[in-house]
Every structure is written in C-alpha cells, then in structure tokens.
Amino acid sequence: MRLNENLFERRLGLFFMVLWFVVMFFYITWDGWLYEWRDCGYEGPNQHFDLDMSDMDYEYTADGVKIYHSTNNLHNLIYLCYFVFFFGWLGLLFDIEWAKQWTMATTGISVVAALSTLRLSDHVYILQIVYDAVHLSGIVMGCYLFWKYNLKIRRAVHAVLFTWAVYLSSHLIFTPWPYWENQGKAYFSINQINDLPFFIFGLEYLLVVALLLGIDVAASLINPRLGNRFLKMAVPLGLYLSLCIILIALGLIIVPEIHINTCP
C-alpha cells in the first residue's frame, strides 16, 4: 500500500492510526468495567492494568443469574465502533477508496453510540473516556469524508453487511456453546451499547441493516446535489440523529445495567 499523496489526509490518518493502537493497548491491558467502577470506584478488584488477557471469569447460577468473579476489556476489540475507527484511518493514510466509503456508510453507528452514552457522571471514568475517543474519532473522520466525498451506495451495502457479520460473529464468540440454547447469555452484551437479545439468531439485526441503508441511500442521493460542503456533512449527521431517536423510540437501544458484585 502507498501512503496518501494528499498530505493533510495522510497526517490525519497517521494521527488516528496512532490513537487506534493506543486504544488497542488499553483494551488488551485494562481489566476494569464501568459497572464495577460505578459501585466501588478505582478500589474495585478489576480496576487495574495487567498483561493477563485470559482472566475473564464468570458463571451462571442455577436460576440463571450471571456472577462475575473477574473481568477484562479484551472483548472491545470486536466493538463495531472500533471497526469504523479502523476503516477511517486506513482509508485516509493509504488513500483506500473502499475504506473511506465504508467509514462514511457506518459513521451512523458511532453517532448513535455516542448519543446513547450521555450519562455525564460516567465521562470521568477512564474506560468511558476511551469509548468517547473511539466514538468521536469515527465521527470526525466520517464528517471529513462526507465533507469531501460522495457516498457510493454499492460500497455502503458492503459496509453495512459487514457490520451484520461482526454482530453475528461476536454473538458466536461470546455466547456459551451451544449458542442456540443460550440466547442472550453472552458474558457481555454485543458492543456494550445495544443489549438487544439474540432472539432470532441474528435476523433481528435486519432492522438495523434497513435503517442504516435507508440513511445511506438518502445521503447518496442528496449529497451530490449539494454545493455547500457544510451541508454535505450536516445532512448525514442530521439523518443519523434522527436514526438514534427512532431506535430509542422503538426500544432498540438498551444501555445495559450490569451488577457484577465484585466489590470487596
């Protein structure tokens, strides 16, 4: 791959690439979860860095209650917003057209995630701050790309279907086997934001596919007709905001409340 000849985009991509790897290091080494921090602050037994990536330990009681003994943050590497973040810097740094298009097509995921985690008291916690960095990075790169380029619907279809594949994969990875008998029993909700149960073996995500593609189609039809670059950026953002409101109204955004009972 060759570096982008556009110096501004190359520098922007380099900046976000470094930040993406810093976030990866954090995800690999930080054990703490927001839910434990809410209960016992940084005195919680999992609020620390370590190099043990296999220390997740939980169990189900006979009545189906989930009990956590220790946690880690490694699962965040399959976070959808982290993929949006990845495609953004990849496209900018190496001038990869499909990666830029995929970032534009999935920016709405980062917008919805950011708007779904507005509990102000959480934003002083290190893990939530890292989530914010991931969300905002995807949004900033998406806005820049919409400002400069037009979305191609063929690329958007590929990108949205890829998010569906990530959704399915995460459930298969995180749900106890056999997964068809343990629906909704993944050790942690997919992508932290959406606690939507895995109740139709992944077909429930079709609604998300339809909503994302609906906005992408609208943006691909409207934006080429706009001469003002600010409007080219603002129209998709406005549509994504509307999407978030629709998802909340339909009850499809459920920020989970997990009581892990690990405090001393």
Side-chain angles (χ1 to χ4, degrees):
M1 291 186 292
R2 293 183 179 181
L3 291 174
N4 195 337
E5 293 181 359
N6 182 314
L7 190 58
F8 175 77
E9 289 192 359
R10 186 197 308 175
R11 289 173 175 172
L12 192 64
L14 181 62
F15 170 80
F16 282 113
M17 181 194 73
V18 172
L19 181 58
W20 189 85
F21 278 105
V22 170
V23 170
M24 175 185 286
F25 177 80
F26 178 86
Y27 283 162
I28 290 173
T29 58
W30 179 256
D31 269 11
W33 283 7
L34 175 67
Y35 310 99
E36 182 183 83
W37 175 81
R38 285 176 180 171
D39 292 338
C40 51
Y42 288 106
E43 299 302 317
N46 295 291
Q47 302 297 317
H48 60 266
F49 288 101
D50 65 31
L51 296 176
D52 187 349
M53 292 181 284
S54 61
D55 53 349
M56 170 71 76
D57 185 19
Y58 73 104
E59 65 176 329
Y60 277 95
T61 63
D63 54 357
V65 176
K66 193 183 304 182
I67 298 176
Y68 291 91
H69 302 292
S70 65
T71 66
N72 63 38
N73 227 25
L74 191 59
H75 59 281
N76 283 310
L77 294 177
I78 202 170
Y79 186 29
L80 278 174
C81 293
Y82 195 53
F83 282 97
V84 178
F85 189 178
F86 170 75
F87 292 130
W89 70 254
L90 184 70
L92 289 168
L93 183 60
F94 297 107
D95 195 21
I96 301 175
E97 191 266 349
W98 69 262
K100 293 178 180 179
Q101 290 286 321
W102 280 32
T103 304
M104 296 164 70
T106 57
T107 298
I109 294 173
S110 296
V111 173
V112 171
L115 293 175
S116 301
T117 54
L118 293 179
R119 181 170 169 171
L120 294 180
S121 59
D122 290 344
H123 294 269
V124 297
Y125 176 48
I126 185 173
L127 178 57
Q128 184 61 57
I129 291 171
V130 172
Y131 286 157
D132 293 339
V134 171
H135 299 156
L136 292 176
S137 295
I139 293 170
V140 168
M141 287 186 285
C143 285
Y144 168 78
L145 292 169
F146 272 112
W147 177 80
K148 188 168 183 181
Y149 303 102
N150 290 320
L151 178 63
K152 299 176 182 177
I153 192 58
R154 179 173 61 88
R155 294 295 193 186
V157 170
H158 296 161
V160 173
L161 291 179
F162 174 80
T163 68
W164 191 8
V166 173
Y167 174 83
L168 290 169
S169 299
S170 62
H171 276 294
L172 294 177
I173 292 170
F174 297 143
T175 302
W177 185 265
Y179 69 89
W180 55 85
E181 294 179 3
N182 292 287
Q183 299 175 48
K185 292 185 179 180
Y187 73 73
F188 199 73
S189 173
I190 169 63
N191 295 317
Q192 296 78 62
I193 303 305
N194 188 359
D195 206 26
L196 182 68
F198 191 50
F199 58 89
I200 321 180
F201 304 109
L203 293 178
E204 67 278 2
Y205 194 79
L206 278 172
L207 179 58
V208 179
V209 169
L211 290 170
L212 285 175
L213 285 180
I215 289 179
D216 288 342
V217 168
S220 68
L221 293 175
I222 295 172
N223 277 23
R225 295 175 170 81
L226 298 175
N228 186 295
R229 288 187 181 274
F230 176 79
L231 289 178
K232 290 167 68 74
M233 177 183 66
V235 166
L237 285 179
L239 292 173
Y240 291 139
L241 176 61
S242 301
L243 170 62
C244 186
I245 294 172
I246 291 171
L247 291 175
I248 292 173
L250 292 175
L252 296 178
I253 292 181
I254 307 169
V255 179
E257 289 290 336
I258 299 176
H259 303 285
I260 59 179
N261 302 312
T262 59
C263 296

